[in-house]
Amino acid sequence: MSRLPLNILFVSLVCFSAGCASPMEFSKTIWGSSTRALEEARVNGIVKVYNAPTGRCYDEALKAVLESDFKVFLKNKTKATIVVMGIKGSVNTTEVGIFCAEVEDNKSKIYISSLSANAKRIVAEKIFPLIDAVLGSSDNQTVTVINEQ
């Protein structure tokens, strides 16, 4: 009996486990549901601070997205992450990430990030006013841009 199938299995396991990305992240990238690039783009994202816990910010962000004309590509309440597509004026596969993160008790940030500065701006201009109408904004600024290029 040939050892070829066992060798192929062994090499495959080594390749999947030896890289920087986990096998799960690798499979998400192949499938098209990885949010790693959007997470990394948060440093150049648009951010607002709200006096609300992260879960509430996520819920209001999701409501705002659903009220808009964007398409929800991914949503994960546990990770407080939403990915939208279908931004007018952008390629139909352009992704924009919406991330909620706790700053301190009952204070959270909502980040909007994308590899497309235009798509990021369009989403921020559409959903932040909808969230502001419900939660207000603790920083009293319409939009804060971090490291915008």
Side-chain angles (χ1 to χ4, degrees), residues 61-135:
L62 184 59
K63 284 180 194 173
V65 166
L66 294 174
E67 287 179 28
S68 71
D69 54 357
F70 308 126
K71 294 179 179 74
V72 176
F73 178 63
L74 289 171
K75 59 183 178 176
N76 184 329
K77 186 164 185 163
T78 305
K79 291 185 177 183
T81 301
I82 304 165
V83 178
V84 298
M85 296 172 75
I87 294 91
K88 286 186 168 83
S90 297
V91 176
N92 64 358
T93 57
T94 300
E95 297 177 347
V96 176
I98 303 165
F99 302 92
C100 305
E102 186 173 359
V103 176
E104 55 190 53
D105 286 345
N106 290 321
K107 193 171 202 175
S108 302
K109 287 182 180 182
I110 297 180
Y111 296 86
I112 298 180
S113 69
S114 179
L115 301 179
S116 165
N118 187 52
K120 171 178 56 179
R121 180 189 52 75
I122 290 168
V123 171
E125 289 174 352
K126 193 122 185 186
I127 72 160
F128 277 145
L130 295 172
I131 298 169
D132 289 349
V134 177
L135 297 180

